[in-house]
């Protein structure tokens, strides 16, 4: 399974409404800080689970879900972890 | 002193500690460079910068210390603030400047 698919699979634990992952590895290839290898992926994830959680807590939720991918295949994972309201998306509960 | 004790001592004896790749003068990673830039723009003049590329033990140790898998990591008065995304967002909405002012570690930018 490629890294993006594996990442998406693990992030299902957060019951996301949407996940967007951009592979930015090429932008960072060969820079000295990345000498250990591993890809760079930019993540935007929208989930009800982030409601009431601060920024650090949201990132930790994502890192917990991603688990050991952060120790190897993923070198950097800049992210936006948003609630549906913050993302401007309709929530599951919303009714009109 | 083990590496966890070393880290604890650094973050509690310096008001602002940045664990980064490279140095503030020569950052070796775009994310580390971005945090250095944000701190400068916030009027911070004194940062205890720890280059994790000089020590694999420190590089692993800081990830364990904070239970946070990536670098850079910013600490203000012993408290883990966040990595690059969080620090940039806090700068953009003024929270970082407020936090630095509350901590008594920076003037207005």
């Amino acid at each position: 399974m490629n890294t993006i698919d594996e990442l998406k699979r693990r992030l299902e634990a957060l019951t996301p409404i949407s996940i967007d992952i951009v592979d930015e590895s090429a932008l960072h290839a060969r820079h000295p800080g990345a000498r250990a290898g591993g890809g760079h992926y930019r993540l935007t994830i929208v989930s009800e689970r982030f409601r009431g959680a601060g920024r650090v807590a949201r990132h930790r939720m994502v890192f917990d879900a991603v688990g050991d991918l952060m120790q190897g295949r993923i070198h950097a994972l800049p992210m936006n972890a948003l609630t549906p309201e913050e993302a401007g998306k309709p929530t599951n509960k919303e009714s009109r | 002193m083990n590496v966890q004790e070393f880290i604890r001592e650094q973050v509690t004896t310096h008001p602002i500690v940045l664990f980064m790749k490279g140095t503030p003068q020569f950052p070796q990673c775009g994310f580390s460079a971005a945090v250095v830039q944000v701190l400068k723009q916030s009027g911070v003049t004194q940062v205890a910068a720890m280059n994790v590329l000089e020590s694999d033990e420190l590089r692993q140790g800081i990830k364990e210390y904070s239970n946070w898998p990536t670098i850079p990591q910013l600490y203000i008065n012993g408290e883990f603030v966040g990595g690059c995304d969080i620090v940039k967002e806090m700068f953009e909405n003024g929270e970082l400047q407020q936090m630095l002012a509350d901590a008594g570690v920076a003037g207005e930018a």
Side-chain angles (χ1 to χ4, degrees):
Chain A
M1 194 180 274
N2 75 37
T3 303
I4 287 182
D5 289 342
E6 179 64 20
L7 197 47
K8 282 185 177 163
R9 192 182 70 78
R10 295 193 183 198
L11 289 168
E12 287 300 320
L14 295 172
T15 55
I17 291 167
S18 70
I19 296 179
D20 182 58
I21 299 169
V22 179
D23 185 347
E24 297 187 337
S25 302
L27 297 176
H28 301 273
R30 299 189 311 276
H31 80 88
R35 64 168 195 234
H40 288 61
Y41 301 90
R42 180 169 294 278
L43 168 68
T44 303
I45 179 167
V46 180
S47 171
E48 299 275 358
R49 302 273 193 98
F50 297 134
R51 199 182 304 282
R55 290 186 197 83
V56 169
R58 291 179 189 196
H59 282 229
R60 280 196 206 284
M61 288 161 75
V62 169
F63 287 139
D64 283 348
V66 173
D68 64 2
L69 287 182
M70 294 307 299
Q71 268 79 59
R73 283 158 72 175
I74 300 178
H75 173 74
L77 187 64
M79 70 178 88
N80 264 315
L82 305 170
T83 64
E85 289 80 6
E86 290 162 351
K89 301 203 180 210
T91 65
N92 296 333
K93 295 174 209 148
E94 201 170 47
S95 58
R96 300 169 190 272
Chain B
M1 188 187 291
N2 70 29
V3 69
Q4 296 299 319
E5 290 164 350
F6 171 78
I7 292 167
R8 185 171 304 280
E9 183 179 280
Q10 294 305 311
V11 303
T12 51
T13 56
H14 299 96
I16 304 179
V17 183
L18 178 62
F19 294 85
M20 65 179 290
K21 292 180 178 172
T23 64
Q25 290 72 34
F26 297 103
Q28 303 270 356
C29 160
F31 302 109
S32 290
V35 173
V36 167
Q37 194 57 37
V38 159
L39 288 173
K40 269 189 201 155
Q41 287 176 7
S42 305
V44 171
T45 53
Q46 295 277 338
V47 181
M50 308 275 148
N51 182 0
V52 303
L53 296 181
E54 288 184 346
S55 161
D56 278 339
E57 201 186 355
L58 183 61
R59 186 174 181 168
Q60 274 315 309
I62 191 61
K63 295 176 182 178
E64 286 160 21
Y65 180 82
S66 54
N67 186 30
W68 190 266
T70 57
I71 290 156
Q73 295 185 15
L74 179 67
Y75 292 77
I76 297 177
N77 285 346
E79 186 188 338
F80 174 62
V81 176
C84 180
D85 295 333
I86 290 176
V87 171
K88 275 201 302 194
E89 190 183 330
M90 290 176 68
F91 174 71
E92 281 157 15
N93 66 23
E95 276 177 73
L96 180 69
Q97 295 89 324
Q98 190 60 51
M99 183 183 267
L100 290 164
D102 291 348
V105 284
E108 288 298 303

